[in-house]
């Protein structure tokens, strides 16, 4: 069995779209502040916001025209042929495989605030086992859980902003605002991208949507609007409490923290009160929402590569009882646990960013190619402000990609090695391949 159940409606798609991303508000973005300060990180965030707004309102055209679980992989195959499909498929898997371990480590860091004797890595591994099991159980159950934790996480962020915004001080916000000058904007870009990374996962749920041609575009639009508002509100209110150093370093000289919002909250309500602990508990929902959601999307991406022969065939099988890609989910969990044990959260964020930016750039190329080559292809949703939005998304993706190579050469080499190994497998294994359903 290789077909997925159609069980997702508009509200659950919004929940997935926001849930994939919302952990980026809770951690990770603060790691860019030592590199660029408040203004450098803000400039990078504005660039990332423009990139994602233009990208999402272009990418939705592809997702509605070709609603398949492989998402960008299927778009690449259709528009750019086998090599393009391979590049987009591998880039997508890199993003989806290495973002969850970084989020799982942050879940461990949040739990460690309550249980200091429990190693964060052990908590992260337990999270992988639990949520892989939930995704294997069924997509309806997984999506319902995702909607619940997403709503809770959005509510918690709004409460956080409501409590910290009244304590905003412009002098604190501007303190050491450009420690490395405007050149610090470029190394901040991977962490600004992290604020929104993952929303494109919604395309991988299209095959399981009851009415993908209508609901996917609505899900993308409503989710993106929600995320932009939350990102800017959290950025300003958390830094404005006590300056950016207060949400990066728990104590002077300490290592950068994976839990910036609790550091900001402690400046407002203290670090031992009931309200502080309640907010941290609910804050875990945001991390869980993104972790669980991207695990869900990663399973679909690996499934499609397996059932078309671009990855081992066993990955392309759907469990006949649950209707979920159990084999792909388990294989992804093995990779994720290995990444957790590497203990390199920053590098995992950057590596997933390389995969994401490759996906964004090549998807826009695929959009242009399909517009020219297949003008009669049914397009229930058409890219906004074509060709300007997709052109801007392509240009901004390339700028961000170049900046990431310049500032993260070691991770760039690791990403290049992954692409080379994937290409070698594709050339040497030569399995019998098939086109995705609906392809021509």
């Amino acid at each position: 069995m290789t077909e997925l159940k159609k069980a997702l409606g508009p509200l659950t798609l919004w929940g997935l779209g926001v849930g994939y991303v919302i952990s980026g508000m809770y951690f990770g973005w603060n790691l860019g502040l030592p590199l660029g300060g408040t203004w450098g990180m803000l400039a990078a965030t504005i660039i990332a916001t423009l990139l994602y707004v233009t990208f999402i309102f272009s990418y939705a055209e592809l997702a509605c025209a070709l609603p398949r679980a492989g998402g960008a992989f299927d778009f690449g195959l259709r528009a750019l042929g086998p090599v393009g499909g391979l590049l987009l498929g591998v880039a997508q898997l890199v993003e989806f495989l290495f973002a969850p371990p970084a989020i799982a480590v942050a879940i461990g860091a949040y739990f460690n605030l309550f249980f200091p004797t429990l190693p964060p890595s052990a908590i992260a591994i337990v999270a992988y086992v639990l949520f892989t099991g939930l995704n294997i159980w069924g997509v309806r159950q997984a999506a319902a859980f995702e909607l619940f934790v997403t709503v809770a996480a959005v509510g918690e962020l709004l409460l956080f902003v409501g409590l910290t915004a009244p304590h905003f001080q412009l002098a604190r916000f501007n303190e050491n605002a450009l420690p490395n000058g405007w050149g610090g904007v470029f190394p901040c870009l991977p962490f600004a991208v992290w604020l929104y990374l993952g929303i494109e996962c919604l395309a991988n749920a299209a095959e399981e949507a009851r009415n993908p041609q209508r609901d996917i575009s609505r899900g993308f639009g409503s989710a993106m609007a929600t995320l932009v508002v939350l990102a800017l509100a959290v950025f300003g209110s958390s830094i404005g409490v006590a300056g950016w150093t207060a949400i990066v370093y728990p104590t002077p000289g300490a290592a950068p923290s994976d839990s910036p919002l609790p550091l900001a909250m402690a400046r407002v309500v203290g670090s031992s009160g009931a309200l502080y602990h309640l907010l941290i508990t609910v804050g875990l929902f945001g991390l869980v929402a993104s972790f669980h959601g991207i695990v869900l999307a990663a399973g679909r991406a690996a499934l499609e590569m397996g059932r078309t022969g671009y990855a081992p065939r066993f990955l392309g099988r759907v469990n006949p009882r649950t209707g979920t890609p159990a084999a792909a989910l388990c294989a992804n969990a093995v990779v994720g646990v290995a990444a957790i044990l590497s203990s390199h959260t920053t590098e995992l964020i950057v590596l997933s960013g390389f995969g994401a930016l490759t996906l964004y750039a090549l998807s826009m190329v695929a959009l242009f190619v399909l517009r020219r080559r297949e003008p009669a292809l049914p397009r229930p949703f058409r890219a906004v402000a074509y060709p300007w939005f997709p052109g801007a998304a392509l240009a901004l993706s390339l700028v961000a990609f170049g900046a990431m190579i310049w500032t993260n050469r070691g991770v760039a080499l690791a990403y290049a090695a992954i692409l080379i190994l994937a290409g070698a497998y594709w050339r040497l294994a030569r399995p019998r391949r098939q086109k995705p359903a609906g392809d021509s």
Side-chain angles (χ1 to χ4, degrees):
M1 178 177 176
T2 60
E3 297 304 313
L4 297 165
K5 291 182 179 179
K6 293 186 177 292
L8 306 180
L11 184 59
T12 48
L13 289 169
W14 170 86
L16 287 172
V18 175
Y20 291 140
V21 180
I22 201 166
S23 69
M25 316 292 167
Y26 284 88
F27 88 106
W29 65 271
N30 64 309
L31 301 178
L33 290 166
L35 306 173
T38 304
W39 289 108
M41 187 62 194
L42 180 59
T45 299
I46 291 171
I47 292 170
T49 301
L50 291 173
L51 163 60
Y52 275 88
V53 168
T54 55
F55 169 74
I56 285 305
F57 286 106
S58 304
Y59 194 64
E61 175 177 314
L62 294 171
C64 292
L66 303 168
R68 292 285 292 171
F73 169 63
D74 288 317
F75 311 154
L77 280 179
R78 181 75 169 244
L80 307 174
V83 174
L86 176 70
L87 282 173
L88 268 164
V90 174
Q92 182 172 243
L93 273 179
V94 167
E95 177 189 355
F96 293 177
L97 284 179
F98 293 107
I103 300 170
V105 170
I107 292 173
Y110 267 71
F111 262 108
N112 187 252
L113 295 172
F114 292 106
F115 308 104
T117 58
L118 290 178
S121 59
I123 298 169
I125 292 170
V126 169
Y128 246 109
V129 174
L130 287 176
F131 291 108
T132 297
L134 176 59
N135 275 279
I136 291 173
W137 182 22
V139 68
R140 188 188 302 275
Q141 296 89 336
F145 175 81
E146 182 74 1
L147 179 60
F148 167 74
V149 293
T150 297
V151 170
V154 170
E156 196 278 338
L157 286 180
L158 293 175
L159 182 58
F160 169 82
V161 171
L163 289 171
T164 54
H167 298 269
F168 178 90
Q169 301 176 55
L170 185 59
R172 290 290 197 178
F173 187 80
N174 288 328
E175 196 172 83
N176 197 19
L178 282 170
N180 296 306
W182 287 109
V185 173
F186 294 101
C188 286
L189 282 171
F191 306 100
V193 166
W194 183 253
L195 280 166
Y196 301 109
L197 185 142
I199 190 171
E200 65 277 7
C201 297
L202 195 56
N204 298 80
E207 190 176 334
E208 292 161 283
R210 289 193 291 267
N211 189 343
Q213 285 76 12
R214 181 193 66 189
D215 294 338
I216 288 294
S217 60
R218 293 180 180 180
F220 270 129
S222 58
M224 193 69 223
T226 303
L227 292 165
V228 169
V229 170
L230 290 175
L232 296 178
V234 168
F235 184 94
S237 59
S238 58
I239 295 175
V241 169
W244 66 259
T245 57
I247 61 168
V248 175
Y249 306 110
T251 57
S257 173
D258 283 330
S259 51
L261 301 195
L263 296 179
M265 279 301 307
R267 298 293 184 125
V268 175
V269 301
S271 59
S272 59
L275 181 59
Y276 173 79
H277 287 98
L278 173 64
L279 289 169
I280 292 190
T281 302
V282 178
L284 278 167
F285 288 173
L287 300 177
V288 168
S290 291
F291 175 74
H292 169 257
I294 299 178
V295 165
L296 185 151
R300 276 69 188 162
L303 167 81
E304 185 74 345
M305 292 190 74
R307 65 186 178 184
T308 54
Y310 281 70
R313 286 284 184 183
F314 77 91
L315 296 175
R317 297 198 61 79
V318 172
N319 185 297
R321 185 173 61 85
T322 64
T324 57
L329 287 163
C330 290
N332 291 349
V334 171
V335 175
V337 169
I340 288 170
L341 296 176
S342 73
S343 301
H344 293 291
T345 304
T346 300
E347 288 78 7
L348 292 173
I349 289 174
V350 174
L351 184 57
S352 63
F354 273 117
L357 290 168
T358 303
L359 184 156
Y360 305 156
L362 288 180
S363 293
M364 294 302 95
V365 173
L367 175 62
F368 284 119
V369 169
L370 287 175
R371 276 288 188 104
R372 187 188 73 249
R373 185 187 298 164
E374 299 189 47
L377 179 69
R379 293 175 170 86
F381 177 88
R382 298 179 73 85
V384 174
Y386 183 89
W388 305 110
F389 265 34
L394 174 58
L396 289 168
S397 298
L398 293 175
V399 168
F401 192 87
M404 284 177 59
I405 292 175
W406 182 256
T407 56
N408 299 276
R409 292 182 179 86
V411 182
L413 288 174
Y415 179 58
I418 291 172
L419 294 178
I420 290 169
L421 288 172
Y425 169 83
W426 181 74
R427 293 286 296 177
L428 295 175
R430 287 292 186 184
R432 188 178 66 183
R433 311 189 203 286
Q434 65 186 49
K435 293 182 178 181
D439 203 355
S440 59

